[in-house]
Amino acid sequence: MNSVSDDLLLALMGDMRQAAEAEILPRFRAITADAIRAKSAADDIVTDADIAAERFLSERLTERLPGIAIVGEEAVSDDPSILSRLAEADLAAVIDPVDGTWHFAHGVPMFGSILAIVSGGETIAGLIHYPILGDFVMARRGGGAWHVAVDGTRTRLSVAAPTPIEEMHGFIPLHMFEPDLQAKLAPRVLRFLRTTTWRCSAWEYRMLATGAMSFCLNESLKPWDHAAGVLIHAEAGGYAAVLTGEPYRPTMTKGHLLTAPSRTSWENIAAGLF
């Protein structure tokens, strides 16, 4: 599959809305202690909503696209070998059922659902749904990036205009980097106008694709966090690469990803930080 049709795109958006209505929103602000479980760390958690929404979307995708490989965040957490399907499959779906689970579990409405369709190791469609707002940001390869309102109205997205780094706003999750790198980065983030972290890729990519924020430096390369968002960002006019300069691919699992408004901005940000 080289592209995603309008009909399939609309169907996938409908599936994501239904997953939110059936499995995510009824559990929001109704979380009990026994519905929250830690994964790799105390603040890396999973809830019943994550598991149920991923199952819902996996079943719908398998029905719509028989033979598609499903790479879900929670499935990979249970069985890391599933991640290898992304590189091996002709067609794969990458699912983050509730991105921003920490927010979700603590009653904060900053979370979203992320879906990427990957063909031959390249993302060909990315959708991010915001269950509280009911809207989407989305892109197909070569088709631009769009905000889709609840009523279906579409608005073209554009990243921020390039500016000197001292005028830039960006996301840097400083606490997630290794201690030695934290110590090097900490004074250098002061070269920018403002840096922060929202602990939610779904919302950070929304801010990047709409031009509200200029850049993001990521500590890890989990495909459910970045496969959809990097495509949306690129189709909105942005530039992304790992710090070696290699363009991002959803099959990457190691390295630090930097997104910026342009290649020149990327180089300036990288120089300012490293």
Side-chain angles (χ1 to χ4, degrees), residues 163-250:
T163 60
I165 64 170
E166 60 268 20
E167 297 177 10
M168 287 186 178
H169 300 249
F171 296 109
I172 301 179
L174 196 60
H175 68 286
M176 295 183 69
F177 290 92
E178 295 180 357
D180 288 349
L181 188 51
Q182 284 184 27
K184 292 177 182 178
L185 289 174
R188 297 173 186 174
V189 301
L190 300 177
R191 297 173 180 175
F192 301 88
L193 183 61
R194 177 167 65 94
T195 61
T196 187
T197 179
W198 283 6
R199 296 184 57 158
C200 180
S201 293
W203 274 93
E204 290 183 357
Y205 276 112
R206 182 184 181 118
M207 294 297 99
L208 293 168
T210 59
M213 299 290 276
S214 296
F215 73 94
C216 184
L217 175 65
N218 288 283
E219 177 273 340
S220 63
L221 293 182
K222 297 171 182 174
W224 40 85
D225 287 334
H226 303 299
V230 169
L231 176 65
I232 294 167
H233 178 257
E235 291 293 333
Y239 179 81
V242 295
L243 291 178
T244 60
E246 188 177 0
Y248 170 80
R249 299 186 309 279

Side-chain angles (χ1 to χ4, degrees), residues 165 188 191-192 243 258 265-274:
I165 64 170
R188 297 173 186 174
R191 297 173 180 175
F192 301 88
L243 291 178
L258 177 62
S265 293
W266 187 97
E267 293 169 350
N268 292 339
I269 295 164
L273 288 171
F274 296 97

